[in-house]
Amino acid sequence: MTTFEAMFKKRKIDFLVIGAQKSGTTSLYEYLTAHLLIDSAKKKEVHYFDFNYDEGVNWYHKRFLWKRNHLQGEATPHYLFDANCAARAFKYNPNLKLITILRNPIDRAFSHYKMNVNRGAENLSFLDALNKEDERILETKKLEYGSSKAVYSYKSRGLYAKQLNGWLEHFPKNQLMVLDYERFFKNPWDEIQKVYRFLGLPDYHGCLKDFTSNKNVGNMSIPEDAETQLRQYFAEPNRILAQQYGINFEE
């Protein structure tokens, strides 16, 4: 056993921000790690429990700073969507605290689409991309920015209740905190105090920097026909989400 392995054999990562993609996880993680007792990972999206799991736990632990008496955590939005991650994360540390921030799935889907357009990863109209989603995500293509399922999952990533329920098949609900995107970013420094308390930390107002970032590109507005389709698609999943997790996108 190496010195590194011996030093950190008993220590585990304390929390994960598991998603959702295009829902402000970068800003949320910056607010989180502003706290003096939380260390940021060396890179925000470590992708251990999804893409790098075969690298092993020592590979994972080398992505953190491990300061004494500080909490360690990372934010990889793909974890919520990847069905393999919950069981792997529980096996790693059944005491993990889980944090997710959810955005109206219609807005999330269009933001996802605009990101792909900006990257050059999407050449279909938004409506055509929605209509071809099921067909595209069944393909096994490896694209520049991930698998076809990861890149083109505009609608399916917004099925939040289904994805959260997959995590709760392994973790107790009191280890999961679900944040509402709109509510959080109206008063982020007030809302982040609730997250600190969830992690067992004292309140912290020592920074008060605005970490909110809006990386949407261009002036595209969602086409009316696509929005109508998405409202119909998400009506029942959103009702279930509101019932189970208290996040209501119809208010």
Side-chain angles (χ1 to χ4, degrees), residues 8-239:
F8 299 119
K9 184 178 180 181
K10 293 184 179 180
R11 289 202 65 179
K12 298 288 185 181
I13 305 308
D14 300 288
F15 69 88
L16 297 175
V17 177
I18 60 174
Q21 184 202 50
K22 306 307 295 178
S23 297
T25 57
T26 297
S27 297
L28 170 61
Y29 191 60
E30 289 176 338
Y31 281 108
L32 266 172
T33 55
H35 198 293
L36 297 178
L37 296 178
I38 298 178
D39 290 336
S40 64
K42 295 176 182 178
K43 180 181 179 182
K44 178 206 164 203
E45 296 190 26
V46 180
H47 284 289
Y48 173 59
F49 295 107
D50 48 7
F51 303 149
N52 295 297
Y53 191 66
D54 291 341
E55 298 290 343
V57 72
N58 290 332
W59 178 94
Y60 187 42
H61 282 185
K62 288 176 182 178
R63 271 68 193 163
F64 298 88
L65 299 175
W66 297 107
K67 293 179 184 176
R68 186 180 298 276
N69 299 323
H70 287 201
L71 296 187
Q72 308 291 321
E74 55 122 337
T76 301
H78 189 252
Y79 288 164
L80 180 63
F81 185 58
D82 190 316
N84 295 313
C85 293
R88 291 171 176 177
F90 184 80
K91 182 179 180 181
Y92 166 76
N93 180 8
N95 296 312
L96 273 170
K97 295 289 183 71
L98 309 170
I99 303 161
T100 188
I101 184 166
L102 305 180
R103 184 180 185 181
N104 185 309
I106 297 174
D107 298 331
R108 194 224 66 81
F110 193 51
S111 181
H112 183 175
Y113 171 78
K114 289 192 289 184
M115 177 182 72
N116 281 346
V117 170
N118 189 51
R119 287 172 165 179
E122 180 61 85
N123 56 17
L124 297 181
S125 70
F126 188 39
L127 184 62
D128 286 345
L130 295 177
N131 289 334
K132 289 183 176 294
E133 176 172 332
D134 292 344
E135 173 186 336
R136 290 167 115 188
I137 65 176
L138 289 175
E139 297 174 351
T140 56
K141 292 180 181 178
K142 287 290 183 181
L143 307 172
E144 182 178 356
Y145 297 101
S147 68
S148 53
K149 181 177 181 180
V151 172
Y152 297 129
S153 46
Y154 303 118
K155 294 184 295 184
S156 42
R157 281 185 189 262
L159 301 175
Y160 302 134
K162 178 181 178 181
Q163 294 160 33
L164 290 171
N165 289 345
W167 279 83
L168 293 186
E169 290 177 4
H170 303 276
F171 289 90
K173 197 168 185 177
N174 64 3
Q175 287 175 222
L176 171 68
M177 185 172 206
V178 182
L179 302 170
D180 179 282
Y181 174 94
E182 296 291 343
R183 185 180 305 144
F184 184 88
F185 286 107
K186 281 181 181 177
N187 297 290
W189 275 107
D190 288 341
E191 292 298 309
I192 200 65
Q193 306 309 317
K194 300 173 186 176
V195 188
Y196 295 152
R197 293 171 208 150
F198 172 68
L199 295 174
L201 296 176
D203 287 7
Y204 175 70
H205 296 273
C207 175
L208 298 183
K209 181 179 177 181
D210 181 6
F211 293 110
T212 304
S213 60
N214 186 344
K215 298 182 179 179
N216 285 343
V217 295
N219 296 315
M220 300 167 62
S221 57
I222 185 168
E224 186 176 345
D225 49 3
E227 183 174 11
T228 298
Q229 181 186 122
L230 288 174
R231 286 192 182 282
Q232 294 171 350
Y233 181 84
F234 287 121
E236 181 61 12
N238 282 351
R239 186 194 66 78

